[in-house]
Every structure is written in C-alpha cells, then in structure tokens.
Amino acid sequence: MSDEATIAAPSPAPPAPTGPPPKVTNRGRAAAPAASANSETSDIPEYEYFIQPGPRGYPPLTEYLDISEVDMMKRPDESNKIAHHTALYHSDYLIVRRGQEFQVKITFSRPYKPAEDKFALEFVIGSSPQFSKGTYVPVFPTKQRQTTWEGRITNTSDNVVTMAITPAANCIVGKYQMYVAVVTPYGIRRTRKESTRDMYILFNPWVAEDAVFLDDETERQECVMTEMGIIYHGSYDDIAERDWNYGQFNYGILDSCLYIMDRAEMPITNRGDPIKIVRVASAMLNSRDDEGVLVGNWSGDYTYGVAPTSWTGSTDILLTYNSSKMPVCYAQCWVYAAVFNTFLRCLGIPSRVVTNYYSAHDNDGNLKTDIIMDENGKIDRNRTRDSIWNYHCWNECYMSRPDLPPGFGGWQVVDATPQETSDGMYRCGPASVQAIKHGQICFPFDAAFVFAEINSDVVFHSRRKDGTMEPVRVNRTHVGRLVLTKSPGDVTRRDITDQYKFAEGSTEERTVLEKAEEYGCKREKSSPPAADVDVVLPNLEISVGDNFELNVEFENKSDERRTVDAYISGSVVYYTGVASTEFLFLTPRVVIEPKMNKKEVAIVESKKYMKRLVEQANLHFIVTGKIRETGQIITAMKVITLRNPKLIIEVSGRGKVSEEMIATVEFTNPFSFNLENVYIRMEGPGMMEPKSRYYRLVIGGSSLTWTEYFTLQRTGTSRVIATLDCPALRQVHGQASVTISP
C-alpha cells in the first residue's frame, strides 16, 4: 500500500434553495421586537398572584374590593372633553391632552376604605408595555406613591370614587388601554380588557410644559381647532384662493393618523417627541419610498385616480389610505400640505399651510437658478434644467427645539412634497424658520434646502458657441417674493415674508447671505451692469378661452437710440414652472428713441393655447433680447393665470342644529365644445361628509344642477365647498357660507 496521501475528489455544490427567502426576524439580535404599532395591544392578565398555588389552587379574592363599573366620562358634553378641547372629535372614546388633568369614575363592590384598600389605574400602549419605556404607567391615588403621571381622588360617594389623572406633559401620544387594578395580600385583580376603556392622549398646546405649547389663544384656535382652511395659489401678482376642509375631527381621522405612524414602523417610545413625529410624517405623507399616503402626479394624466385639483378636503384621502392600506392617487404640493395639516392638527400640533410665491427648485444644490440663453438672447430650453415654481405650499408647525440653541424653537417648516431626499428619504424638516431667516442653515433638518427655495438668485447665462457661459443678468429679488398664510380667526391672508427673510437689499440681508455662504451655499458673485433698456410686461386678467393682446413695453433710459433684437415667447406651463408647449414665438426688432418708450403688441389667440392647456391654466411669457449698440441682454418674465368659470353654490334652510338643509350646485359650460367625464365633489365641516357626482357629458353652452340634502351637526359658521373637474377643465370651484344657530 502506498504511503502517499490520497487526494479527495471535489464534491458538487449543494443545490440552491428554492421558494421565497425566510423572513428576517429579531432572533439573536434583540430579546423581543420593538413595539412599533399602536394598533397592536398586549393581554394583561386579569389575575396576577403573588404566591404559589396550594393543594386546592389559588385562594379566592372575592372577599376583597372588587370593581363593578368604570365610567370614562367620555361624552362630548362632559367635563373631560370640554376642558381638553376635544369635544369636536367624532369618537366614542375618551380623548384627552397630555399634561392636563382628566377624571374617571370607578364603582366598587363596596365603599372604598383608604386605610385598607389599595388600587391603581394602569395605562398601557403598544404590544410590549414596560414601565421603564413609558408604555406601561401605573397611577396611584395617594400622594405617598406617585409615578410620572399624577393621580388623586377628587370625590367619594357611597361605592363611587372619582379619580383625577394627569399624564406627563412629555408622555407618548396615541391610543391607550386602561385597567383598574386592586391589590390584595394574595395578588392583583384587574378589570378585563374592554375597548370601552380605550382612550387617546394627544399633544397639548394649552400647557406650558408640553413641547408644542403655543401661548396665543387666537393662534391656537386657528392652528389646532379650525377645520376649514384657505390655501393660496396662483401667482405673485394674481393671488388665488382654494378652500379646503381639513376635517381633523371627522370620524376615523384620528385612527388614520395613528396608522400612518404604524405604517412607518415608528417605535412607540418615540411618539412623545413632536420633532420625531413630524419628520416621520413628512416622509410618510408621500409614497416615493415607503408606500406612504399620497402619490404625486404633475403629468396632467389622472386616469387611474383623482386629479389633485378635484379634492375638496383631507377626509376621503386619509380614510381611503387607512382602509385600503395603499397609497391614494393623486397629489400635488397643496394636497400634500393640506393632508399634512390635518395630521398635525388632529394630533394636537399647531400647524398652518404656507405658500411661497416664486419658489426655487434648482438641481445643483446652490443659491442659483440658472437660465441658459444663446448669444442672441434666446432662451435655450434644452439646457435650462432649474425651475421656479409659480408657488409652492409647505407646512409650519409650532414646537420647541431642545436639539438647537435657544431661540430657534417656534415655527418649523415641514414639507411632504417629494422634491429631494433627506437622510435617504423624500422628506423635509422640521427646519426652524428663525434659523432660515438668520442664515443658520447648518441646523437640522434641511434648513439649507428651504433657505434656497426663498433666497436663490435667478442668473441668466449667455452660452457661447464653444460651450462656455457668461452671466449677463442677475435677478436677486425674484425668488421668494411673497410668503402667505391664512390670518387667524379670519378669511383674509397674512403676509409672513418678513419671518423668513430680511428686507431685500438691507444690511441684515447681506449679513445673512454671507453667513449662509460660510456654511457652503454658493451664490453668484458677479454683478453684470444693468442694461439701459428696460422691458415691462403688463398685469392681465384673462378668462380661459379669451383672445387677448400682450403689450410689451420697451423703455430706453439712455440718451441715444437703441435697437433691440427681441424674442417674445409664450408657453403653457405647469405651476412648477416646467414648460409644456410653446404656442407663441415672435422675433421683433424694436427701435427706441432716446428717453422714450416703445410698445410691441403680441396677439394671443385662444385657439393657439386652449388645446395645449394643462391644469391651473398658466401661460408663461418670457421676453429676452440683445441691444445691438451695447451687446447687453434684457429679460422679463410674467405668469398669467387664466380665470376659470365658477361653480355657483346656494344653501337654503333655517340654519338650525339637527335640521335639514339643501345645497344646490350649478354650473354652465361656457365653451362651444363639450366637457366629458365630469366629476363634482362637495363637502362641509360640521355639515356634510364628502359627496361626489359623475356626469358623462356636459354639452357646450348647457347647464347642470346638483341638489344635496344635509343635516347641521353643530353651531357656528362653516362653508360648503365644491369642485368640478374633467380632463378639459381643471380647478373649477365655489363655496357658500352657512351660519348655524342652536
């Protein structure tokens, strides 16, 4: 036999596994999965013995104090909901706000004896309650034994004990289960798990210890309690309004908001921090990377969903998402902001929708919006990548910022519209408004992005034939021209531009921009000399379908004759500033005498733009030109929003609570062509749930009438709002105010 080693033949590789991969679990990494769903609950045992069972089992606990009934005092007319400003929520459960006392009544089997009897209320949230995590909180009635939540007995009558509980002002926000536990020498006896004792705890802007405390009752009423909002759109010099029903108190909305956090798998333990909640919600309100609430669509084709301009409120959107577990189609910036506003107000975080006119969205991450022209002054649309939105809507929410230096709490920008990623997800904020105003763009979260949206320079570049570019004009005042929100307690608009930026050209503004540059924001340093010819475009109010004249005025400020080779371009654009189709292009040569003006008239025929219109009916005119004598470039831009026909809404009835009223919607097709696949939506807070009606065809020149009956639910002032939408005509709306008496 040979002494040489035998070499083993190689074995074939094992076959590849088939079927789906095994589900990845926490096994080996954590003792138990982190609780991240408010909808998941734990089973607390009814009996919890301190001793081991004897030969005959556990001793009976019947001779000790027993619980007969628990009254959560949850009716809208009872003290809890009135004191906690939650009476408007359409819910059968108790809803209170943290940091503020509420009461429950407990009926025992006999009179309560403080010297002998021991009991506690236990509040549990999530699937794995732990005292150390704040997800299991026992509350005791005696001063000698207190936890993070305070408890005290306020009244005792026969067998009934009224106990007051004050949740910690930083406790977890969400849906809790409550148990009453009686302690005996042998063990603990609890009430059974019953959904009637479930309760919700929300943020509390009325309590100074809460992170969302807002010390202004008028602002609190507007930014927490008001259901009907006004969202501003249109253009800087032609502001339009859109009514929106936030509906934060409607049935099912609170559960839908909690589901959004569950869907994000947000740990229960993080849900007491408003900073973390709004950051998670900013990502979850869009569907880009997490199957969130709304699918964005700016294409104009809404075949498989609802056009963004058709929505009248948030209720349908949130309830549909909660029931279908699928993203809802479709949204644009104001829809994202409006639904986010509902989420925030529903949870008790003060919030408002803000509109920034001429909002920059550049693709280079700097403070420049670049517009490229050829050597003759004509816009090169193929090379111009940056865009300026006619307007952009985001949210502000009010909270302290303990993660930032003092002075940067208060209003924070949050934005759910998917524009750029932040920490790997499409979200934005919270960014301190004070930090944005003072150029502290290094502070989290996303302050630099918002700063650029309102402070970018518009730089016109002349591109030579060899590919090099030279800045020929810089407009430092066009972007962030106006920032608006609704006035508290009124239907007027409020200019809050000064909260975001100092006055244009001021010393403070220069200091802020220099500070932003220190943190890495790049600005255009060059300052090309101003041309001695100005070009001005007029303000026009034009209805959809009208022919009109565009008077372009050239003003020669020099002492010599000037000749301008001009380009007048008219395009149908989306409100994002992105051009759809060019319908007008003229190349006049304009000769202007010294110190004189010259008008050039462009005739715009409706047949040129009507079939090319996209929703919101924006026409964008750009005039550029090159002065022959000096080689200087001149530019002017104007957005004209065409006026749509209106819906007429009439409301009839006595206007008393619990009485029926009638809402009638009327619309006349003003065009010679037919409108097909027409949807009308209507709703009103405190009066009417969202309703819709479909019309296959509305013949040109004909009218339609829709009548709906509804019952008034509470006193006050409200509005019925309606929208009409079809592929050929978007953004038609109307509203009617209703005063409701007892």
Side-chain angles (χ1 to χ4, degrees):
M1 187 172 178
S2 172
D3 291 334
E4 294 181 9
T6 303
I7 300 174
S11 301
T18 58
K23 185 177 180 181
V24 178
T25 67
N26 283 289
R27 184 179 178 184
R29 184 169 63 89
S36 60
N38 202 166
S39 57
E40 294 179 1
T41 59
S42 59
D43 291 323
I44 307 296
E46 187 178 350
Y47 296 100
E48 195 173 333
Y49 286 93
F50 302 150
I51 60 173
Q52 294 297 320
R56 297 186 179 183
Y58 288 108
L61 303 181
T62 52
E63 60 185 273
Y64 299 100
L65 189 69
D66 196 6
I67 307 107
S68 301
E69 185 184 351
V70 179
D71 180 5
M72 301 295 287
M73 301 175 67
K74 58 188 178 183
R75 293 200 311 271
D77 57 349
E78 290 187 284
S79 59
N80 281 337
K81 286 191 173 180
I82 292 171
H84 286 254
H85 310 277
T86 59
L88 294 179
Y89 284 87
H90 289 200
S91 175
D92 297 328
Y93 296 99
L94 175 62
I95 303 174
V96 297
R97 299 185 188 276
R98 64 187 193 175
Q100 183 176 339
E101 188 176 83
F102 68 94
Q103 297 183 332
V104 296
K105 287 181 179 178
I106 307 156
T107 304
F108 291 109
S109 56
R110 59 170 172 76
Y112 168 65
K113 301 173 185 177
E116 300 176 15
D117 301 323
K118 295 179 181 179
F119 78 94
L121 302 186
E122 298 174 320
F123 295 87
V124 175
I125 185 170
S127 59
S128 53
Q130 293 176 266
F131 179 77
S132 61
K133 304 284 189 187
T135 52
Y136 164 77
V137 186
V139 182
F140 301 96
T142 58
K143 287 185 178 179
Q144 293 75 24
R145 193 173 183 194
Q146 293 288 310
T147 60
T148 53
W149 296 22
E150 295 179 7
R152 67 189 182 98
I153 292 176
T154 58
N155 188 50
T156 303
S157 176
D158 295 328
N159 297 4
V160 180
V161 172
T162 303
M163 185 168 170
I165 305 99
T166 305
N170 63 349
C171 75
I172 295 167
V173 167
K175 188 177 185 179
Y176 287 76
Q177 290 80 48
M178 193 194 85
Y179 299 87
V180 183
V182 175
V183 182
T184 74
Y186 301 113
I188 298 173
R189 175 166 53 196
R190 292 185 177 86
T191 50
R192 289 188 179 91
K193 182 178 178 180
E194 288 186 17
S195 63
T196 55
R197 288 192 289 273
D198 291 352
M199 59 174 290
Y200 297 85
I201 297 181
L202 309 178
F203 290 102
N204 195 345
W206 282 268
V207 167
E209 292 78 20
D210 198 307
V212 302
F213 173 62
L214 175 57
D215 193 16
D216 185 324
E217 180 59 21
T218 304
E219 288 277 14
R220 282 195 298 248
Q221 288 298 319
E222 176 67 37
C223 296
V224 180
M225 302 300 294
T226 299
E227 291 179 273
M228 178 63 78
I230 298 174
I231 300 173
Y232 299 99
H233 62 111
S235 58
Y236 159 74
D237 47 12
D238 188 13
I239 295 164
E241 298 178 356
R242 175 185 285 107
D243 293 288
W244 191 276
N245 179 16
Y246 297 124
Q248 66 265 35
F249 304 125
N250 284 354
Y251 182 80
I253 295 300
L254 180 51
D255 284 326
S256 300
C257 294
L258 297 181
Y259 171 69
I260 290 171
M261 292 188 283
D262 285 359
R263 185 66 179 266
E265 298 184 359
M266 182 182 187
I268 295 287
T269 51
N270 289 348
R271 299 190 191 185
D273 186 343
I275 299 171
K276 293 178 179 176
I277 283 182
V278 301
R279 185 139 176 85
V280 165
S282 171
M284 278 303 299
L285 263 293
N286 68 72
S287 66
R288 280 294 295 265
D289 40 27
D290 47 19
E291 292 295 298
V293 179
L294 283 159
V295 179
N297 186 345
W298 283 262
S299 70
D301 180 4
Y302 310 117
T303 306
Y304 298 103
V306 176
T309 49
S310 186
W311 298 113
T312 50
S314 306
T315 303
D316 266 355
I317 294 170
L318 288 170
L319 293 183
T320 300
Y321 183 68
N322 192 11
S323 61
S324 70
K325 317 301 184 192
M326 295 287 290
V328 180
C329 303
Y330 291 108
Q332 291 174 7
C333 73
W334 73 91
V335 182
Y336 285 115
V339 177
F340 202 172
N341 215 49
T342 300
F343 174 91
L344 295 166
R345 290 188 182 182
C346 184
L347 294 182
I349 302 173
S351 63
R352 58 194 186 189
V353 175
V354 168
T355 303
N356 175 37
Y357 285 94
Y358 295 136
S359 190
H361 184 193
D362 73 291
N363 294 290
D364 308 321
N366 54 26
L367 288 180
K368 298 188 294 182
T369 298
D370 300 308
I371 297 178
I372 315 300
M373 301 183 295
D374 65 19
E375 289 182 299
N376 297 318
K378 180 185 176 184
I379 299 287
D380 187 339
R381 296 191 182 276
N382 293 326
R383 289 188 169 88
T384 299
R385 300 298 184 188
D386 294 350
S387 64
I388 302 171
W389 295 30
N390 298 342
Y391 66 91
H392 179 51
C393 298
W394 59 64
N395 301 84
E396 287 181 0
C397 53
Y398 199 90
M399 64 185 66
S400 62
R401 288 297 300 270
D403 57 325
L404 301 182
F408 293 98
W411 291 112
Q412 312 289 315
V413 172
V414 286
D415 190 351
T417 302
Q419 299 182 87
E420 301 289 344
T421 57
S422 171
D423 294 336
M425 300 184 76
Y426 282 94
R427 58 184 165 189
C428 180
S432 166
V433 173
Q434 276 293 313
I436 294 163
K437 180 173 182 176
H438 290 90
Q440 299 284 1
I441 59 173
C442 59
F443 291 157
F445 296 89
D446 309 311
F449 181 80
V450 182
F451 185 86
E453 287 184 295
I454 61 171
N455 284 295
S456 286
D457 297 333
V458 182
V459 184
F460 293 85
H461 299 269
S462 179
R463 185 177 187 275
R464 303 184 184 93
K465 290 183 173 64
D466 62 4
T468 58
M469 291 195 297
E470 176 190 6
V472 292
R473 183 160 185 256
V474 180
N475 187 335
R476 304 193 190 277
T477 63
H478 183 72
V479 169
R481 190 77 66 88
L482 180 66
V483 184
L484 291 181
T485 190
K486 178 181 175 293
S487 297
D490 204 350
V491 293
T492 57
R493 56 183 179 248
R494 178 181 176 187
D495 184 349
I496 57 171
T497 312
D498 62 348
Q499 295 184 22
Y500 280 86
K501 57 201 300 189
F502 290 99
E504 298 284 358
S506 64
T507 305
E508 294 89 346
E509 186 209 24
R510 285 196 296 274
T511 302
V512 165
L513 292 171
E514 288 168 4
K515 184 174 288 294
E517 284 188 275
E518 291 176 11
Y519 292 121
C521 273
K522 299 175 183 177
R523 294 184 65 221
E524 179 57 48
K525 297 290 188 181
S526 63
S527 295
D532 54 16
V533 175
D534 276 347
V535 58
V536 180
L537 291 169
N539 294 327
L540 297 173
E541 292 187 6
I542 310 296
S543 295
V544 173
D546 285 357
N547 302 327
F548 62 95
E549 292 183 355
L550 181 74
N551 293 309
V552 183
E553 187 168 357
F554 295 85
E555 180 186 358
N556 184 359
K557 295 183 291 184
S558 74
D559 296 323
E560 300 175 6
R561 175 187 288 185
R562 291 288 181 253
T563 303
V564 178
D565 290 323
Y567 297 88
I568 302 175
S569 170
S571 300
V572 171
V573 294
Y574 299 92
Y575 82 95
T576 56
V578 176
S580 171
T581 311
E582 187 175 62
F583 64 87
L584 175 72
F585 185 70
L586 302 174
T587 57
R589 176 170 295 172
V590 184
V591 179
I592 318 122
E593 297 299 326
K595 302 294 184 183
M596 298 291 287
N597 293 1
K598 179 78 174 288
K599 283 187 178 180
E600 190 72 27
V601 179
I603 306 297
V604 180
E605 297 177 311
S606 62
K607 64 182 181 182
K608 295 279 184 67
Y609 66 77
M610 275 300 289
K611 290 188 177 180
R612 298 177 171 87
L613 277 185
V614 293
E615 75 269 14
Q616 303 194 43
N618 292 314
L619 305 183
H620 190 208
F621 293 95
I622 299 180
V623 178
T624 59
K626 188 172 185 179
I627 304 171
R628 285 196 160 198
E629 290 80 1
T630 64
Q632 293 173 319
I633 299 291
I634 59 173
T635 64
M637 297 184 291
K638 174 70 69 174
V639 175
I640 295 176
T641 302
L642 301 179
R643 304 297 175 95
N644 281 326
K646 295 288 186 184
L647 287 179
I648 299 172
I649 304 177
E650 293 182 354
V651 178
S652 57
R654 296 205 305 165
K656 291 185 176 293
V657 171
S658 300
E659 291 193 5
E660 195 171 64
M661 293 188 72
I662 303 171
T664 303
V665 180
E666 296 181 0
F667 173 74
T668 300
N669 180 357
F671 306 116
S672 57
F673 55 87
N674 301 337
L675 299 177
E676 299 178 357
N677 299 319
V678 177
Y679 284 91
I680 301 181
R681 292 172 173 266
M682 177 166 52
E683 64 179 293
M687 298 183 297
M688 185 191 300
E689 296 297 317
K691 299 179 182 295
S692 63
R693 182 69 62 90
Y694 170 72
Y695 297 86
R696 192 182 65 81
L697 186 70
V698 181
I699 296 171
S702 68
S703 300
L704 64 83
T705 302
W706 172 24
T707 300
E708 196 68 47
Y709 293 84
F710 61 96
T711 302
L712 303 176
Q713 299 164 9
R714 59 175 183 261
T715 59
T717 302
S718 188
R719 295 200 291 279
V720 176
I721 57 177
T723 63
L724 179 145
D725 186 86
C726 66
L729 185 64
R730 307 282 187 197
Q731 199 152 279
V732 177
H733 47 79
Q735 60 92 15
S737 297
V738 180
T739 301
I740 309 163
S741 57

